[in-house]
Amino acid sequence: MAELRTEALRWLAVCEPADKVAGVLALAESWQRGELTLDHSAALTATQTIPGYPERPELVPPSAVPQRGVATVAGRAATIHALAHIEFVAINLALDAVWRFAHLPLDYYADWLRVASEEAHHYSMLAGHLQTLGYAYGDFKAHNGLWEMAARTEGDVLLRMALLPRTLEARGLDVTPPMRAKLAQAGDLPAAEILDVILADEIGHVLIGNRWFNWLCAQRGLEPESTYVELATRLGALPLRGQINREARLAAGFSERELAALSRAPGK
């Protein structure tokens, strides 16, 4: 039988988006059918370049990605492309969480495999909608900020949980509703409906990050809230700017005290 973490690493290295999506969805189905083993303790090593990226889109610094409004088809396409890219990278992030970190409970690996399959679904919806606008994934420039944070946290699963799901992905909970409203106002109701699906799923993804962050803190005898502030500050993930989606963050496992502290953070 194939082994889950080894297979996650294999699909992480795949470059073609359609192939990666199909492979991840099939992997999740195989896991559900009990067709995979799990080796918690294996020290795996990547022998291929990871993550696998297609030749396009061109990856540039965030400041070099043009900002466009949604009043035109091209502007909406650029926005959908940016979201599709985030979801493609999110597939890689979830697969990386599965293969990279050993000695964790079975539920940890099952959780992040589920996240990978849902991110694959999100990517497919967005890439499909992009085609209805006359564009394809790869037609616009994109940046690699999400994966850069993954590289900075690859040595410690606690750091990974703190900085990816609890910080960068949680910010998605904040920015998705206003983006959805802009797309709906521009008449792109299919895009708005896709964002409704993504927001509901992403609350669950951040909740998973919170679950494992808190579990790891308990294992290490750390107080979660102060530990998070220390880690996020050290890696430059604070202060948080912009409006907080309080309802979504509460549903995703943040405490009232944390949200109050975030609301008072410098830059708010």
Side-chain angles (χ1 to χ4, degrees):
M1 296 176 70
E3 195 277 321
L4 174 60
R5 293 175 60 220
T6 303
E7 288 298 293
L9 177 56
R10 179 166 77 91
W11 289 111
L12 177 61
V14 168
C15 296
E16 179 58 39
D19 293 342
K20 190 188 293 280
V21 165
V24 167
L25 294 177
L27 184 64
E29 291 174 3
S30 294
W31 174 257
Q32 290 297 320
R33 291 194 297 264
E35 298 172 353
L36 301 171
T37 62
L38 173 63
D39 187 342
H40 301 251
S41 60
L44 303 180
T45 301
T47 58
Q48 296 175 274
T49 299
I50 58 170
Y53 278 124
E55 292 184 3
R56 300 170 66 240
E58 178 187 357
L59 298 180
V60 298
S63 59
V65 178
Q67 300 296 310
R68 306 190 188 191
V70 297
T72 66
V73 173
R76 291 197 296 278
T79 298
I80 299 301
H81 186 277
L83 295 170
H85 180 68
I86 289 171
E87 299 299 330
F88 180 76
V89 176
I91 301 170
N92 289 334
L93 293 173
L95 292 173
D96 196 73
V98 172
W99 87 267
R100 184 175 297 278
F101 302 110
H103 305 294
L104 292 163
L106 181 148
D107 283 354
Y108 167 89
Y109 301 103
D111 277 349
W112 288 107
L113 178 60
R114 190 190 100 197
V115 172
S117 68
E118 291 178 353
E119 305 291 20
H121 180 52
H122 298 168
Y123 169 82
S124 295
M125 289 191 296
L126 290 165
H129 184 57
L130 192 59
Q131 290 183 330
T132 70
L133 300 177
Y135 295 85
Y137 180 58
D139 285 350
F140 299 90
K141 295 177 180 179
H143 70 80
N144 206 25
L146 275 174
W147 187 261
E148 289 170 0
M149 184 61 80
R152 296 173 67 189
T153 59
E154 65 183 19
D156 186 350
V157 64
L158 177 66
L159 201 57
R160 175 65 63 86
M161 295 298 107
L163 275 298
L164 265 298
R166 286 197 104 238
T167 301
L168 298 188
E169 291 185 62
R171 288 180 182 174
L173 306 182
D174 303 329
V175 302
T176 297
M179 186 179 302
R180 186 240 188 249
K182 288 180 181 179
L183 288 166
Q185 188 175 18
D188 197 336
L189 295 181
E193 291 171 356
I194 291 171
L195 289 190
D196 288 338
V197 174
I198 290 175
L199 178 60
D201 287 346
E202 293 296 341
I203 289 173
H205 299 175
V206 177
L207 182 62
I208 286 170
N210 271 317
R211 173 192 182 187
W212 292 109
F213 176 78
N214 289 325
W215 183 88
L216 288 159
C217 284
Q219 294 294 304
R220 301 183 190 188
L222 301 171
E223 195 284 314
E225 292 181 13
S226 60
T227 298
Y228 172 72
V229 171
E230 189 277 322
L231 295 176
T233 303
R234 189 204 315 165
L235 270 76
L238 293 176
L240 178 65
R241 293 180 173 83
Q243 189 68 32
I244 288 175
N245 186 342
R246 184 176 174 277
E247 181 180 356
R249 281 180 176 260
L250 286 172
F254 286 89
S255 70
E256 291 277 11
R257 188 167 65 177
E258 281 184 291
L259 296 187
L262 286 172
S263 297
R264 294 192 302 268
K268 295 294 294 175

